[in-house]
Structures are given as C-alpha cells and as structure tokens.
Amino acid sequence: DVKVTQSSRYLVKRTGEKVFLECVQDMDHENMFWYRQDPGLGLRLIYFSYDVKMKEKGDIPEGYSVSREKKERFSLILESASTNQTSMYLCASSSYRGPSYNEQFFGPGTRLTVL
Amino acid sequence: AQTVTQSQPEMSVQEAETVTLSCTYDTSESDYYLFWYKQPPSRQMILVIRQEAYKQQNATENRFSVNFQKAAKSFSLKISDSQLGDAAMYFCAYRSNNQGGKLIFGQGTELSVKP
C-alpha cells in the first residue's frame, strides 16, 4: 500500500515563527503536492514537484516555499507564519507509472494553528 | 483556467437509501480526468472513483457510480444502499491531461448518513 506520512497531526505556532511541515512517501512517486484545505474553499494547491530539486508554484504560493532534496520527501516552509495561514495542510503524491497512474495518494494532514 | 463547483455544502441520506452529489466543472479542454475523493472525519482522503473524459461509459465501483455528462460538464456521484461508513466530506476534482497531475478541487459536500 502507498503510504504518505506527515510529520505532525497538530501544530501550534506563533506569528513570525518559521514553520516546517514534512511529508514522506514510500512508493517512489515522482510527483508530490502540498495543498491547504479551508472550509467552503476545498483544497487549494500551494506548490508541487515533479522530481528532486524541481518545484512549481500552485494557485496560492504566496507566503510559502518548498524543498525537495530527496525523492521521497517534500517539505513545506512558512518563512514567517501569519494568522491567515492557520489551516489544514495536506500532502499528496502520485506517479506516472503503474496501474494507479496519476492517482493522488494523500497524507493524514497537519492542522496548523498560528497564534 | 479550469474550475470545479460543488453547489451542495451539506447533504443527508437515510441508511440504505440512495443519494446523489452534484459537481459541475468548466474547461475548454477535451481530454481530462474527473475524480471523486472521500475524506472521512479525522481520516485520510481516499479516491472513490475516477472517470476518463474520452470514455462515454460511466464509471462504477461497487455501490458508487457516476453520471458523466460531458457536454453539460456535469459529474455527479451516486451512492446506493448508503452505509454509516459513507459519512464523510466528498470532493470532486478535475485533472487536465497536460498539466502533470495537478488536481483542481471543488468546495466539498459533507454527507451525513442517518441510521
């Protein structure tokens, strides 16, 4: 089974702090994604990556950056957390290969609260 | 740009009955994929069903089926013989065939199942 794990289920940070959200997948997937989920807005894509050291902006990249130094790990960074970044963050991965071609597999989510 | 709209924020169904969740989308593309994802309370998002736009036949997965109307840009999900475990947030999603696996999500429909 594909497994996507995220470093924390719940996180509380203060305004201005630098925040790291980590995501790891164990199925050798090429693609990895970071979304934020807000009530009434669904999931919105922040950043995605097609390969190691590759990154592409999604629909709402402002205030975020990402890092993908290894194929299995994709990190989301909030350089200076703000209260409007309080949200649920979901990581996902997918592959171009195999029977689950381009199906996205999701992690459990990190609920981030910025005070 | 493509958009996905779910106009029903909440739906309710009696156990063993049938319910239909609505989804419409907007695109100028002819080749794409559509998905329904399920997010149970405090659990990971999982894929329920997918539909390739080039296929005229509606996809079916056990009790889940879709009504795909390409010309009308409509993609509804029908759940038959509803079970308590079907209670969840359901998201409709669109994926272009030429944008590397990015998903565009609707706002979500929260389904409750009454015993």
Side-chain angles (χ1 to χ4, degrees):
Chain A
D1 280 351
V2 175
K3 194 168 183 180
V4 181
T5 57
Q6 295 183 229
S7 50
S8 306
R9 288 300 303 270
Y10 300 94
L11 208 53
V12 180
K13 295 292 182 180
R14 299 244 174 232
T15 301
E17 279 193 80
K18 190 170 185 175
V19 181
F20 292 86
L21 303 183
E22 305 285 339
C23 175
V24 178
Q25 50 94 3
D26 66 357
M27 282 300 292
D28 200 34
H29 283 176
E30 301 88 7
N31 308 319
M32 296 189 75
F33 306 83
W34 274 107
Y35 297 91
R36 65 176 282 175
Q37 180 180 359
D38 300 289
L41 297 178
L43 279 72
R44 293 177 291 166
L45 183 64
I46 304 172
Y47 267 96
F48 60 103
S49 169
Y50 294 134
D51 201 350
V52 176
K53 297 191 186 296
M54 302 294 289
K55 61 184 179 183
E56 296 276 348
K57 291 181 180 179
D59 299 317
I60 51 165
E62 297 78 17
Y64 304 94
S65 62
V66 291
S67 172
R68 193 163 180 205
E69 295 297 319
K70 293 185 178 181
K71 191 174 185 179
E72 66 271 18
R73 187 180 298 270
F74 192 36
S75 303
L76 180 69
I77 304 156
L78 288 66
E79 293 289 342
S80 178
S82 63
T83 55
N84 63 11
Q85 292 178 310
T86 291
S87 186
M88 171 71 87
Y89 290 87
L90 294 174
C91 176
S93 71
S94 70
S95 176
Y96 297 117
R97 302 169 279 120
S100 300
Y101 168 74
N102 266 322
E103 173 185 344
Q104 288 194 18
F105 295 85
F106 285 83
T110 295
R111 187 168 294 281
L112 173 67
T113 302
V114 183
L115 301 175
Chain B
Q2 297 88 6
T3 59
V4 177
T5 302
Q6 293 177 250
S7 58
Q8 305 154 317
E10 298 174 348
M11 291 282 285
S12 181
V13 63
Q14 204 73 32
E15 195 175 6
E17 297 294 310
T18 295
V19 64
T20 299
L21 307 185
S22 301
C23 173
T24 59
Y25 58 96
D26 190 26
T27 184
S28 58
E29 299 176 327
S30 59
D31 193 13
Y32 51 86
Y33 298 80
L34 296 164
F35 304 85
W36 279 99
Y37 277 87
K38 171 185 178 182
Q39 187 181 41
S42 301
R43 292 177 62 189
Q44 286 174 243
M45 185 105 70
I46 57 171
L47 179 66
V48 175
I49 198 165
R50 86 174 80 199
Q51 175 79 42
E52 291 88 346
Y54 65 86
K55 290 186 177 178
Q56 292 188 337
Q57 188 171 6
N58 289 324
T60 299
E61 289 286 344
N62 301 313
R63 297 183 296 107
F64 298 86
S65 62
V66 298
N67 183 5
F68 174 47
Q69 302 289 328
K70 192 172 184 179
K73 296 179 183 173
S74 170
F75 183 60
S76 60
L77 175 69
K78 185 172 83 171
I79 306 173
S80 304
D81 185 25
S82 297
Q83 300 175 0
L84 296 177
D86 294 333
M89 183 72 84
Y90 287 82
F91 291 98
C92 178
Y94 170 100
R95 181 174 75 76
S96 169
N97 200 33
N98 59 10
Q99 291 184 17
K102 292 192 301 180
L103 290 177
I104 298 168
F105 285 86
Q107 300 88 336
T109 297
E110 186 164 10
L111 177 67
S112 59
V113 181
K114 297 179 180 177

